[in-house]
Amino acid sequence: MGKWLPGISRRSRTRIQARVSRLGADMGGDPRPEFRAELRERLMTVTEQEDPSPETVSAPVRRRRTTLVPQLVSLALAGALVGGGVGTYRSMPGDALYPLKRAAESTLFHLSTDDAERADRSFGYAETRAHEVDELLGATERESGLIDETLKDMEDTTRSAVTSLTRVERRSGKSTGRLRRFVQKQRDQIQIMLPKMDENDRRRANGYLDYIDGLTQPDSSQPVTRE
């Protein structure tokens, strides 16, 4: 992943981490524990080793470190969002903090080390979009088009997961068990929500169900029904 930039002392690193930790206490709201633990682990990984002094660093090494700046900025952003809380991961489409939630998800996705991890993240984000649709359907007030937009994001994320998973299986020949479990879970949740949707949202949701049904062979003992 890389190291901290030369010239940043261990004391400065400690202060930065302390400020990130205080952000959550000052503004309230906690992210999910798994996100907090994962970001803490990634942040600690890049701080474990001391950098050599600037005088001893060769030009090629300096150039490589320059290319790490965008990654470090993204990591710092994700650390601030997740470590600081501020209710980001509890936000819903239409909320002021929702773009930050999506930005943190995108950052974690791009920090994934391989296709298997990217597929797993994308499946998780697609499930999150399904939960958001369910919450929006139960809301008394919401902006027009939010459900349709969230359903579209759910399908786009699912397609991204399938693409990553396909690359994994080409190399390793692993089973499609993860995909089958995901399809079953998504199918069950979306079907329950169909009666609550208007005609336009139901059309998009049914299109999504058609798509995921085509990813695996349906279970003959549990035929797919649509309302």
Side-chain angles (χ1 to χ4, degrees):
M1 181 60 64
K3 303 177 182 178
W4 287 76
L5 295 178
I8 299 181
S9 66
R10 186 176 293 275
R11 179 180 298 178
S12 296
R13 302 173 196 175
T14 302
R15 286 202 301 269
I16 292 172
Q17 291 172 339
R19 290 176 182 175
V20 169
S21 299
R22 287 199 302 270
L23 180 61
D26 293 340
M27 303 188 72
D30 292 325
R32 289 180 292 180
E34 58 268 27
F35 283 97
R36 183 193 299 273
E38 181 173 359
L39 260 294
R40 182 182 295 112
E41 180 180 354
R42 288 181 180 274
L43 286 168
M44 293 306 296
T45 297
V46 299
T47 62
E48 283 178 350
Q49 300 180 352
E50 282 289 334
D51 287 325
S53 63
E55 292 78 8
T56 62
V57 179
S58 64
V61 172
R62 289 195 184 100
R63 285 195 294 271
R64 288 198 298 272
R65 284 178 177 166
T66 300
T67 64
L68 290 175
V69 172
Q71 297 180 24
L72 292 171
V73 171
S74 296
L75 185 59
L77 172 63
L81 293 176
V82 179
V86 302
T88 300
Y89 280 92
R90 296 180 181 177
S91 62
M92 296 293 298
D95 292 346
L97 290 175
Y98 188 71
L100 299 182
K101 175 181 179 178
R102 298 299 300 275
E105 289 179 352
S106 177
T107 297
L108 288 172
F109 176 85
H110 290 292
L111 289 173
S112 301
T113 57
D114 54 37
D115 286 319
E117 186 177 355
R118 280 186 282 273
D120 194 60
R121 287 193 187 283
S122 295
F123 281 134
Y125 296 154
E127 291 174 359
T128 298
R129 302 290 86 80
H131 287 298
E132 290 170 353
V133 170
D134 195 17
E135 291 290 331
L136 288 171
L137 288 169
T140 55
E141 295 183 6
R142 61 173 181 268
E143 296 179 24
S144 175
L146 281 179
I147 293 178
D148 182 76
E149 181 179 342
T150 306
L151 286 169
K152 182 181 183 302
D153 290 340
M154 180 177 64
E155 180 170 346
D156 291 342
T157 305
T158 301
R159 291 182 183 274
S160 174
V162 171
T163 299
S164 296
L165 190 64
T166 300
R167 288 196 291 264
V168 171
E169 295 192 354
R170 283 176 182 170
R171 293 196 301 267
S172 65
K174 291 183 178 179
S175 69
T176 58
R178 175 69 173 94
L179 178 59
R180 291 182 183 277
R181 290 191 296 272
F182 168 80
V183 168
Q184 184 64 55
K185 183 176 181 180
Q186 289 290 91
R187 181 195 299 142
D188 292 344
Q189 185 166 5
I190 298 299
Q191 285 179 333
I192 292 175
M193 293 187 285
L194 285 176
K196 306 176 187 178
M197 298 180 183
D198 60 27
E199 182 178 355
N200 181 67
D201 294 336
R202 192 180 300 116
R203 185 182 304 112
R204 182 177 287 280
N206 276 319
Y208 176 74
L209 290 174
D210 288 339
Y211 166 65
I212 63 174
D213 284 342
L215 297 176
T216 61
Q217 291 294 327
D219 188 332
S220 59
S221 64
Q222 295 181 348
V224 176
T225 58
R226 304 285 168 79
E227 297 187 26

